[in-house]
Amino acid sequence: MSRPPAERQVSRTIAADQRLSDELTRIGIDDSAASPTVLFLASGVAWLLIGSLMGLIASVKLDLPDWLGGAGPITFGRLRPVHLNAVTYGWISLAGSGMIVWLMGRLCRTHIRWTALLFLSAILWNIGLFLGSALVILGYSGGMEWLEFPLPAAAVIALAFILFALSMFRTFAARQVEHVYVSLWYILASLTWFPLLYVIANAGLYQGVGEAAMNWWYGHNAITVWFTPIGLAGAYYFIPKVIGRPIYSYYLGLLGFWSFALFYNWNGLHHLVGGPLPTWAISVSIVASLMMFVPVLAVAVNHHMTALGHLSMIRYSPTLRFVVFGAMSYTATSFQGSLEATRSVQEVAHFTHYTVGHAHLGMYAFVTMVLFGAVYYIMPRIAKWEWPYPNLIKVHFWLSAAGIAIYFLSLTLGGWLQGLAMNTPSIPFIDTVNLTKPYLWGRAVGGTLMTIGHCVFAYHFLLVIHRAGPKRFAPVWFRKAEEVAAP
Amino acid sequence: MMFIRSFVFFLGVLAAFALGWIGIVGVPDMMLARIEAPPELKRYTAEQLYGRSIYVREGCLYCHSQQVRPEGFGADQARFWGRPSVPADYLYDKPHLLGTMRTGPDLFNIGARQTSEEWHLLHLYNPRLVTKGSIMPPHPWLFEEKPTAGPGEEALVLPDSLAPARKVVVPTAEAKALVAYLLSLNHTYPVSQGAASDDTAKTRR
Ligand code: HEM
């Protein structure tokens, strides 16, 4: 390894802090995870592109309703669910699974077991997504939000997830460590929860208002048991890892995890405040939403204290920059969500674009940004090829960050004004539509930036897979190494 | 020791999940199982059900809710969108279409508010024909262009700018079924809010 001396110095310090005694084992473990991880990550990136494009087209259709208005398959009401499914069950789930495979090897300190199941899982998953999206486009939507994929597609995805979970549990059972790290708690819980949730929700057990309760129990629990654990597992791993310090408090981690498990499973009915359900049930969800301050604060304090004094490293480390952005957004989204669940905020915000802004703060600014950071860390280590163009990473970061900021602020402000107008009976309904138009354009602008960022990211990702571009000998840092060592 | 710890971990994880499911889905659903349909609530006809499936297919749900809020919570009552909806109103609904967005108005009582089939057809063909500034998508694929209207068919009355040259636009069976469904959305019959859901009515503010 012929690294420049200063960089060697840095990596030596970091390595010592991390107490990673045996680099060779680590490389062996990474290698065992390499092919399935790449398969999952690459599929995820493909669905990110598809999903962003669908979202962008859907968004412009609200600005120019007659644009591409002549054909059923590309109407707003079909593209929108395809967007949601492609970015959540496609991008986040697949890239998240790739991250989980890789973390599993690292955290259990053993090679990945039953990798054949992982390949099968990734293939089935892609087939399920493709089938489901095609069926929705062709008009066979199941009709419930988050559950639009009809049964054949949902069954394939369920099977894919179960195969994935089996391989991960087998690897966990073979672990070579005493200590089960916080990230693993979230991963293990989600591997247990999500298949159950997904199967129950697709089983068609309910009718009428009971089905609505199930629908939003599912909708929010998908966030509880799958999307958030992915983001948190990543944040818990990469923040201490890149900074080179252990997590601040194990007990805060414990408190955070169990209060999360206890409260977050009861949040769903805050999506139906004011609706025709027994009030006590909705109130229970509102209280549970407020209780979420406990786990969220625990996580926020834990990450903050870990990073304290080292936060300047986000200027240098691409991974840290994305992951810290994500972790801070987690706190922001959750605080917003807890308050948003209350009756007085729901009265205004519930039926408006404000909710869509909130959804993107969670799914994009939090989970997606953490995943970007994870991919920037993992890919060079398994592809044995560093990111060739550090500037592309910067461009990607700023496009995504500016894009989501514009997206969120537009819809939050526009949605709130829309809600106030809707609650003022003297304002004709069409004026509540008219007043949102500039904000919907704002969203389209933000979404365009994000989508361009995703194209840059995907291009760079392809370069690494093909080991193209200039060869680099050390991980990407945005500044010279001496500057890193200085503070 | 390690085994026991794992066991307790997974037990706790499963319990947290199951409790939530029972608490906010199972129990409400069981309580609602006792309610009876109001006598005026009619079952959907075959045509209305077909129309409902087109409502699902075209994703009307992503812009329209079907639930009316009570007095003191939003302005649904002042906008005359109907009495507050109760669980009994939805007994025949699958999939449920409560919705979470009001990019367009609530449709739970659109059949009482807008009774003209002609209006609905024009609006579906292109919403901007009847509501200036609407951002609702047009649905021309629910219509057919042909030289002349056949027997029993009625062509849309379109302004020259939108009318196809030497052709007329007639609604397909899909468009008619969808409108039949929209016209069936009429929940203006009285319900005893107490009987329909004991505490929904009582504690709503
Ligand atoms: C990975 C990135 C993204 C994720 C995870 C994501 C996630 C979501 C989610 C969860 C919803 C449902 C919101 C709700 O029902 O409240 C949604 C809706 C939507 N998203 Fe995205 N999104 C992403 C990127 C984008 C981009 C780049 C655009 C481009 C403008 C976009 C445009 C939309 C639109 C137009 C809707 C429909 C909102 C409506 O019904 O009015 N999204 N997205």
Side-chain angles (χ1 to χ4, degrees):
Chain A
M1 290 250 187
S2 58
R3 289 181 188 169
E7 266 171 353
R8 202 158 52 218
Q9 167 84 42
V10 177
S11 47
R12 203 184 298 136
T13 331
I14 293 174
D17 270 341
Q18 289 159 343
R19 294 192 192 81
L20 278 172
S21 47
D22 190 350
E23 184 143 348
L24 283 179
T25 335
R26 206 177 52 192
I27 291 172
I29 290 168
D30 280 3
D31 283 351
S32 80
S35 319
T37 303
V38 170
L39 185 58
F40 274 107
L41 293 183
S43 316
V45 173
W47 284 100
L48 174 68
L49 293 183
I50 298 172
S52 315
L53 196 67
M54 297 288 172
L56 193 54
I57 298 175
S59 163
V60 174
K61 275 171 167 281
L62 290 189
D63 302 319
L64 306 168
D66 289 308
W67 177 62
L68 301 177
I74 50 170
T75 191
F76 174 85
R78 300 195 202 180
L79 291 186
R80 183 211 187 273
V82 172
H83 161 64
L84 180 135
N85 285 278
V87 289
T88 59
Y89 301 121
W91 154 244
I92 295 184
S93 296
L94 286 165
S97 297
M99 181 191 80
I100 287 175
V101 171
W102 187 82
L103 282 182
M104 212 62 184
R106 282 284 179 106
L107 293 172
C108 295
R109 281 182 152 256
T110 187
H111 62 94
I112 304 297
R113 309 299 150 105
W114 293 353
T115 42
L117 293 190
L118 292 180
F119 291 114
L120 192 58
S121 165
I123 292 167
L124 283 176
W125 207 314
N126 279 300
I127 292 176
L129 285 165
F130 189 78
L131 188 66
S133 308
L135 288 174
V136 171
I137 295 257
L138 293 175
Y140 299 96
S141 166
M144 275 189 283
E145 284 187 65
W146 292 93
L147 291 166
E148 286 93 349
F149 281 4
L151 202 55
V156 175
I157 291 179
L159 179 62
F161 197 95
I162 290 169
L163 295 178
F164 172 76
L166 284 178
S167 157
M168 293 295 94
F169 282 130
R170 181 67 191 85
T171 307
F172 176 69
R175 67 191 176 279
Q176 301 294 316
V177 288
E178 263 304 299
H179 178 67
V180 179
Y181 183 63
V182 190
S183 295
L184 260 184
W185 308 344
Y186 284 96
I187 292 172
L188 293 169
S190 66
L191 294 177
T192 317
W193 281 332
F194 189 67
L196 282 174
L197 177 70
Y198 195 67
V199 169
I200 294 170
N202 278 291
L205 302 173
Y206 302 94
Q207 169 114 359
V209 169
E211 194 184 42
M214 187 287 289
N215 188 178
W216 288 108
W217 167 72
Y218 175 80
H220 205 99
N221 263 41
I223 297 169
T224 304
V225 311
W226 182 227
F227 304 119
T228 305
I230 289 175
L232 287 183
Y236 262 114
Y237 183 81
F238 291 107
I239 292 177
K241 183 80 185 172
V242 175
I243 288 180
R245 301 204 322 172
I247 193 77
Y248 169 70
S249 162
Y250 173 82
Y251 291 100
L252 265 183
L254 210 59
L255 172 72
F257 175 80
W258 284 111
S259 52
F260 175 90
L262 203 60
F263 301 135
Y264 219 19
N265 276 296
W266 293 76
N267 268 233
L269 299 190
H270 66 211
H271 291 264
L272 292 164
V273 177
L277 270 90
T279 312
W280 67 262
I282 290 175
S283 301
V284 166
S285 276
I286 297 176
V287 172
S289 308
L290 287 168
M291 294 304 284
M292 283 305 290
F293 275 115
V294 176
V296 171
L297 271 173
V299 170
V301 170
N302 219 355
H303 289 167
H304 185 76
M305 295 306 284
T306 307
L308 200 68
H310 298 258
L311 220 55
S312 59
M313 277 174 81
I314 60 176
R315 299 220 306 276
Y316 311 112
S317 158
T319 295
L320 199 63
R321 185 182 285 196
F322 279 97
V323 175
V324 166
F325 186 103
M328 289 162 89
S329 303
Y330 174 62
T331 313
T333 316
S334 304
F335 278 19
Q336 186 195 20
S338 290
L339 298 175
E340 195 174 336
T342 60
R343 282 176 201 277
S344 32
V345 179
Q346 277 299 288
E347 183 174 5
V348 178
H350 181 42
F351 291 117
T352 71
H353 300 299
Y354 183 94
T355 335
V356 181
H358 171 68
H360 287 81
L361 193 63
M363 299 299 267
Y364 195 92
F366 164 41
V367 185
T368 294
M369 290 301 257
V370 170
L371 281 174
F372 286 147
V375 173
Y376 281 121
Y377 192 90
I378 295 171
M379 274 311 283
R381 286 166 174 78
I382 54 183
K384 305 278 177 352
W385 193 260
E386 291 299 334
W387 297 96
Y389 300 108
N391 279 336
L392 285 189
I393 306 183
K394 274 193 205 167
V395 170
H396 172 206
F397 177 82
W398 286 110
L399 282 170
S400 281
I404 185 61
I406 296 173
Y407 191 119
F408 175 74
L409 293 175
S410 305
L411 289 194
T412 302
L413 183 60
W416 190 258
L417 295 175
Q418 180 194 10
L420 290 178
M422 218 178 302
N423 289 351
T424 311
S426 59
I427 297 180
F429 187 86
I430 190 66
D431 289 344
T432 72
V433 177
N434 284 326
L435 85 81
T436 57
K437 286 178 181 173
Y439 303 97
L440 291 175
W441 274 110
R443 183 256 295 275
V445 170
T448 306
L449 297 185
M450 288 147 74
T451 307
I452 298 174
H454 302 162
C455 295
V456 171
F457 170 64
Y459 168 72
H460 213 182
F461 185 90
L462 275 183
L463 289 185
V464 173
I465 286 195
H466 289 287
R467 304 192 169 191
K471 187 172 172 63
R472 296 180 173 275
F473 295 94
V476 171
W477 289 89
F478 288 144
R479 302 283 157 89
K480 288 209 193 67
E482 304 89 81
E483 287 182 51
V484 186
Chain B
M1 181 59 203
M2 213 143 100
F3 175 76
I4 294 179
R5 251 201 275 158
S6 297
F7 184 75
V8 172
F9 174 84
F10 283 110
L11 206 66
V13 158
L14 281 172
F17 176 83
L19 284 176
W21 177 27
I22 296 168
I24 63 173
V25 184
V27 176
D29 186 63
M30 240 165 51
M31 289 176 55
L32 296 173
R34 286 182 291 127
I35 56 176
E36 277 167 30
E40 296 93 335
L41 176 67
K42 295 190 208 68
R43 283 186 183 274
Y44 298 109
T45 65
E47 189 188 28
Q48 290 162 359
L49 269 184
Y50 181 43
R52 196 173 192 271
S53 74
I54 290 158
Y55 187 97
V56 168
R57 181 181 86 186
E58 306 302 354
C60 314
L61 161 81
Y62 301 106
C63 292
H64 292 287
S65 62
Q66 289 193 24
Q67 47 176 310
V68 184
R69 292 169 150 194
E71 185 63 49
F73 198 70
D76 295 20
Q77 296 306 312
R79 285 185 187 276
F80 302 105
W81 281 351
R83 64 156 169 78
S85 48
V86 296
D89 294 330
Y90 300 90
L91 275 178
Y92 305 133
D93 284 10
K94 193 169 177 79
H96 83 90
L97 297 172
L98 262 62
T100 54
M101 287 294 276
R102 283 183 179 171
T103 306
D106 186 86
L107 296 181
F108 203 50
N109 289 298
I110 186 66
R113 187 159 74 237
Q114 180 52 270
T115 53
S116 156
E117 183 181 14
E118 200 191 338
W119 185 95
H120 280 294
L121 288 171
L122 267 181
H123 184 252
L124 280 173
Y125 183 71
N126 190 323
R128 280 150 296 287
L129 286 173
V130 292
T131 317
K132 202 172 143 282
S134 175
I135 60 170
M136 174 165 150
H139 295 82
W141 58 93
L142 303 178
F143 297 81
E144 234 179 325
E145 287 181 12
K146 34 165 79 174
T148 50
E153 290 179 339
E154 251 190 86
L156 298 187
V157 184
L158 297 173
D160 289 344
S161 59
L162 271 169
R166 284 188 301 282
K167 282 200 177 154
V168 295
V169 175
V170 295
T172 61
E174 293 188 340
K176 288 192 157 164
L178 179 53
V179 172
Y181 169 64
L182 291 174
L183 293 177
S184 81
L185 290 175
N186 181 344
H187 302 87
T188 47
Y189 51 80
V191 288
S192 81
Q193 300 252 345
S197 113
D198 305 333
D199 57 0
T200 331
K202 207 168 51 212
T203 31
R204 271 166 155 184
R205 41 171 212 96

